[in-house]
Amino acid sequence: MTDYWIILTGALVASACGFLGCFLILRKMAMLGDAISHAVLPGIVLAFLFSGSRDAVPMLIGAAIFGLLTTIIIQTLRGQGVQSDAAMSVTFTALFSIGIILVSLFTRQVDLDLDCVLYGEIAYVPWDPLKLGGMDLGPRAVWLIGAAFFISLVVITLFYKQFKLCAFDPALAAAIGIPVTFFHYLLMGLVSLTTVASFESVGAILVVAMLIVPAATAYLLTDRLSVMLGLSIGMGTTSSLVGYWIAKLLDASIAGCMSVTAGVLFLLAFLFSPKHGVITRWWIR
Amino acid sequence: MDANTWWVLIGTALLGLSSGVLGCFAFLRKQGLMGDVLAHAALPGICLAFMITGAKNSFLFLIGAAITGILGSLCINWITRYSRIKEDTALGLILSVFFGLGIVLLTQIQHSNNGNQSGLDKFLFGQSASMVASDVQWMAIMAGLLLLMSFLLFKELKLLCFDASYGQSLGFSMRGLNLLFMTFLVIVVVIGLQVAGVVLMAALIVTPAAAARYWTEQLSTMVWISAVMGACSGVIGTWISSFGYNLSTGPLIVLAATMMFIISMMVAPQRGLLSRLVRLMKTRRELAREQHINSIYTYMEKEQVLKVSLLDLQTQYPISTHVLSQLKEEGLIHMEEDHQDIWIGFTETGWKAAYDTVLTNRMLEMWLMHEADLASKLPNGEIVSKDSIPEHLVPELQKLMIQHQCEPKWNPYDSNQRMKERVVSP
């Protein structure tokens, strides 16, 4: 049963992240997930200080606020003419530093393990169940990530055409009257929500990996956005399955193994993709 | 401060200095996130070095980290070159996969009961307080070497930043140079890991460079400023953390650098927010002044009067009394108040100023209307703007104005003013 929950969590994280990752990659903002997952630290610490408990809801709210704040600061800096990569690294490192300093200032009040917040352990997921009226409904993380995935699924399906146009040709989208900035922030909101919901339980590294790697793999395999979304979810789920199996075999970190598996899948696509693979193209020539 | 703090201070200053210098080049190549990636990619190298040798030696860690770091940057190059994956995606991909591999290796080490592995995870968050003299000496040698190399290769690196294909055509091996630069960057990152840790290393590379960029347009100046800012943030961070309060040095250094960035963004002379704001206000003021002169002149011309009432003027143009009183102070207009209205007329200098302004504006209008026909008259690609209308274009534009019947009809420079005879005085 434990295995089943962990694999389900991994697959949900992979699907939720891989789904949104496609849009991030197309909009050339792949590193944003990395930035957000680090920049929310002060939000978590502040929520912890104010609520005084390790309850998930205040932490989630604090993190979500800082996630959005990060994207707003990055966007403002870019509007001021700071180049995109610099805007990102300046913002997230500054916020992360504030987070660390808050942790060390309030060590006595804040019982937070930095390693655990950042490199959260997916293996502990089944030991944190959601209980409702005495009934065990399964791990809390599954519900949390599932809800985040569901919300982004609904939002993206509702505005699929708009998101698609914004991803490929924001100038045209703006010209025909789609509020590009609004959809940008909507996407960023979804990314922060998903990042925040997942990374507390599975760790930042798995979130970043799943945001980027499956989507990049899918990007090499198809030219259609709808297919890419499906493939990305599939790739993510496969890597979480295979990764878990390898981790069991080697007795190693589950999140690490899942990321590496996703990387191996990308390598395969990089070499053998029917249209864009390095070896395929060489073979055809 | 005790002796050890001094060593830490020297160490962080050196780190800030060298990361500030190299960061400039990384920043200009839009590889600001490279520091982040290389810092993460160092982890598997450090773990491998430990697994192979079984020793906890900073130098061995450096070599391991350098190898995987360079491998990571090569992978990024390959991915962007041989597929349609963009650079930002490749960066994130290598970062997460390499770091994932590092975590797998780390758990392997922890599970293999190899006793003294505890120092390894210190590399993740940095532990500058534990730096001792030997660490600093080692850092000083590396930093000195890096600074010397970037001094010697300054021209080549400049070429790499600004025009790599030109460099290629000059016969420099840009790929080799790129690899060399990545090696430098990896070395700085690995040195910095001890102080700042994986996540914050990115800041030491980018933030001083981004701050320095605000102050100058010259690469050599930028490198100097960035180096000084890097060193200062290192010193300030260490100094504050030496007060006690259990604050770690790495984040304080980063916050010091961020403060410098924010201050630079605000007050830098040319590109800073404040000076841009001041420029904007000045432009607005000038534009408003010009618009007012233009409106009064055009109104007078159209109605053939020498004095206009403010109320009539306001029905046709947006007029602010504030700007009018400013014009009056400058001595360009005179205003006569009667019981319900204000009458505005130009003074002698005002007439000339107004004529010049209106003439320039209308000539510009003509230029914009006939730009395609007149472009051949500007063989040297001169620019036509409000401040400079090329001399030889003026007769052409005047002819066009008369053709369109929009030449300014009050000419204060001309004694037999064409319009003045027809004037009906108020």
Side-chain angles (χ1 to χ4, degrees):
Chain A
M1 200 56 189
T2 329
D3 295 353
Y4 166 73
W5 283 125
I6 293 177
I7 292 175
L8 182 63
T9 315
L12 274 174
V13 170
S15 312
C17 292
F19 186 64
L20 290 172
C22 291
F23 292 98
L24 283 185
I25 281 186
L26 291 172
R27 298 208 62 176
K28 302 196 184 66
M29 294 187 301
M31 291 299 278
L32 203 75
D34 182 46
I36 290 179
S37 57
H38 288 109
V40 294
L41 184 63
I44 293 176
V45 180
L46 285 177
F48 193 86
L49 274 177
F50 282 119
S51 72
S53 71
R54 294 187 77 130
D55 198 19
V57 178
M59 276 201 197
L60 208 62
I61 294 171
I65 291 173
F66 269 79
L68 264 180
L69 194 68
T70 312
T71 61
I72 291 171
I73 296 176
I74 291 175
Q75 198 64 18
T76 317
L77 283 180
R78 278 166 60 169
Q80 298 297 338
V82 182
Q83 64 194 41
S84 165
D85 59 318
M88 249 183 234
S89 14
V90 170
T91 314
F92 91 82
T93 50
L95 286 171
F96 187 74
S97 308
I98 294 174
I100 296 188
I101 287 181
L102 283 177
V103 171
S104 46
L105 271 181
F106 300 101
T107 335
R108 269 172 236 106
Q109 292 97 311
V110 184
D111 178 29
L112 273 181
D113 188 358
L114 269 185
D115 294 20
C116 215
V117 171
L118 283 178
Y119 308 105
E121 186 52 78
I122 193 173
Y124 299 152
V125 161
W127 316 118
D128 184 14
L130 182 78
K131 286 206 170 92
L132 205 72
M135 218 167 55
D136 192 344
L137 294 174
R140 209 187 49 193
V142 170
W143 286 97
L144 212 59
I145 301 163
F149 183 34
F150 180 73
I151 293 172
S152 37
L153 211 56
V154 168
V155 173
I156 300 269
T157 321
L158 277 178
F159 301 109
Y160 182 69
K161 255 187 279 183
Q162 284 85 339
F163 275 115
K164 191 173 170 181
L165 201 56
C166 289
F168 286 105
D169 196 344
L172 175 68
I176 61 176
I178 295 172
V180 178
T181 324
F182 170 74
F183 280 104
H184 173 79
Y185 280 116
L186 191 59
L187 182 66
M188 293 304 114
L190 290 178
V191 172
S192 346
L193 182 76
T194 312
T195 312
V196 168
S198 353
F199 96 117
E200 193 218 353
S201 40
V202 303
I205 188 62
L206 187 60
V207 175
V208 179
M210 286 306 173
L211 268 176
I212 300 171
V213 188
T217 315
Y219 188 50
L220 288 180
L221 293 176
T222 175
D223 287 337
R224 288 185 62 85
L225 179 61
S226 47
V227 184
M228 182 177 164
L229 289 171
L231 269 177
S232 175
I233 293 178
M235 287 292 160
T237 315
T238 316
S239 19
S240 76
L241 272 171
V242 178
Y244 184 71
W245 178 68
I246 292 176
K248 274 273 150 177
L249 216 66
L250 294 176
D251 187 23
S253 150
I254 298 170
C257 283
M258 288 178 176
S259 320
V260 175
T261 315
V264 172
L265 284 179
F266 173 79
L267 185 66
L268 290 178
F270 181 65
L271 296 177
F272 303 111
S273 151
K275 220 168 157 186
H276 304 283
V278 174
I279 291 187
T280 336
R281 273 185 302 180
W282 174 76
W283 184 257
I284 291 170
R285 200 172 54 196
Chain B
M1 282 201 271
D2 54 13
N4 199 44
T5 316
W6 277 109
W7 284 119
V8 177
L9 201 70
I10 296 171
T12 49
L14 280 173
L15 171 69
L17 199 70
S18 38
S19 68
V21 170
L22 287 173
C24 278
F25 300 109
F27 174 84
L28 289 172
R29 299 188 66 198
K30 301 206 171 21
Q31 287 180 326
L33 289 162
M34 205 54 160
D36 197 25
V37 176
L38 291 178
H40 282 86
L43 181 66
I46 292 170
C47 292
L48 277 178
F50 180 73
M51 282 168 108
I52 292 170
T53 63
K56 233 172 31 181
N57 178 323
S58 296
F59 187 67
L60 288 174
F61 286 176
L62 171 74
I63 293 180
I67 291 172
T68 46
I70 292 171
L71 190 67
S73 74
L74 282 177
C75 285
I76 292 171
N77 275 351
W78 287 327
I79 290 174
T80 45
R81 215 168 63 226
Y82 294 115
S83 77
R84 56 178 186 163
I85 302 278
K86 307 289 179 303
E87 184 159 22
D88 64 311
T89 311
L91 286 173
L93 203 143
I94 294 302
L95 181 149
S96 51
V97 173
F98 271 58
F99 197 66
L101 186 66
I103 290 186
V104 171
L105 292 175
L106 200 62
T107 46
Q108 286 293 302
I109 293 173
Q110 278 161 359
H111 291 174
S112 65
N113 296 326
N114 201 334
N116 63 350
Q117 90 283 6
S118 56
L120 280 180
D121 50 344
K122 290 287 168 282
F123 261 83
L124 292 183
F125 289 109
Q127 197 74 15
S128 54
S130 65
M131 271 201 299
V132 288
S134 65
D135 284 330
V136 174
Q137 281 156 11
W138 172 78
M139 270 171 77
I141 293 170
M142 290 318 257
L145 215 61
L146 282 177
L147 289 175
L148 184 69
M149 288 303 277
S150 18
F151 179 71
L152 291 177
L153 290 175
F154 184 75
K155 268 203 296 254
E156 285 78 3
L157 289 175
K158 193 174 177 178
L159 209 52
L160 186 69
C161 290
F162 291 112
D163 200 343
S165 47
Y166 176 62
Q168 191 80 49
S169 74
L170 285 180
F172 289 104
S173 165
M174 280 298 145
R175 253 202 246 168
L177 204 55
N178 185 31
L179 196 65
L180 194 66
F181 176 65
M182 281 304 146
T183 319
F184 292 170
L185 211 56
V186 167
I187 294 173
V188 135
V189 164
V190 177
I191 299 175
L193 283 182
Q194 269 202 326
V195 179
V198 167
V199 182
L200 297 180
M201 198 47 225
L204 293 188
I205 300 271
V206 180
T207 313
R213 181 69 188 85
Y214 275 102
W215 295 92
T216 174
E217 307 286 325
Q218 269 258 294
L219 180 63
S220 48
T221 327
M222 179 178 163
V223 170
W224 275 111
I225 296 176
S226 170
V228 170
M229 281 186 173
C232 283
S233 39
V235 170
I236 294 173
T238 316
W239 182 57
I240 296 177
S241 84
S242 72
F243 292 162
Y245 302 123
N246 188 22
L247 297 175
S248 35
T249 316
L252 285 173
I253 295 178
V254 174
L255 282 185
T258 311
M259 281 315 289
M260 286 185 201
F261 171 77
I262 294 173
I263 293 171
S264 307
M265 188 169 80
M266 291 296 165
V267 302
Q270 284 293 315
R271 303 161 63 98
L273 278 184
L274 277 180
S275 74
R276 262 158 58 191
L277 202 66
V278 169
R279 266 206 306 277
L280 181 70
M281 301 279 277
K282 210 174 135 201
T283 316
R284 274 202 185 147
R285 220 170 32 234
E286 269 165 22
L287 195 66
R289 185 174 162 275
E290 203 171 276
Q291 282 295 324
H292 279 72
I293 294 180
N294 216 341
S295 308
I296 300 172
Y297 186 97
T298 313
Y299 185 88
M300 286 179 172
E301 188 183 52
K302 198 167 58 193
E303 303 290 326
Q304 305 193 344
V305 290
L306 282 172
K307 272 185 181 170
V308 294
S309 103
L310 181 61
L311 289 176
D312 290 347
L313 199 61
Q314 273 173 335
T315 56
Q316 295 194 23
Y317 301 100
I319 297 289
S320 118
T321 44
H322 176 72
V323 182
L324 282 182
S325 53
Q326 193 189 321
L327 285 176
K328 191 184 171 191
E329 261 171 47
E330 287 179 52
L332 294 179
I333 56 171
H334 50 78
M335 295 199 277
E336 286 153 36
E337 229 164 310
D338 62 19
H339 49 278
Q340 49 188 346
D341 205 351
I342 299 174
W343 294 89
I344 302 164
F346 282 119
T347 60
E348 196 59 35
T349 41
W351 270 116
K352 285 180 180 160
Y355 178 75
D356 290 342
T357 316
V358 173
L359 186 69
T360 323
N361 273 339
R362 293 196 185 164
M363 282 210 279
L364 264 183
E365 254 168 54
M366 286 305 115
W367 161 253
L368 290 177
M369 280 166 73
H370 297 274
E371 194 172 352
D373 311 331
L374 294 175
S376 61
K377 305 252 191 251
L378 295 177
N380 307 329
E382 288 159 282
I383 298 162
V384 180
S385 78
K386 202 172 71 186
D387 304 318
S388 73
I389 292 176
E391 202 64 48
H392 56 275
L393 215 56
V394 173
E396 204 77 33
L397 291 173
Q398 268 167 344
K399 220 184 291 168
L400 281 168
M401 273 194 302
I402 293 171
Q403 212 175 337
H404 286 273
Q405 298 185 330
C406 67
E407 75 277 16
K409 294 180 183 76
W410 299 126
N411 188 347
Y413 297 104
D414 195 353
S415 50
N416 41 5
Q417 291 151 343
R418 290 170 49 204
M419 290 288 295
K420 229 165 197 177
E421 302 122 39
R422 291 190 268 133
V423 162
V424 190
S425 283

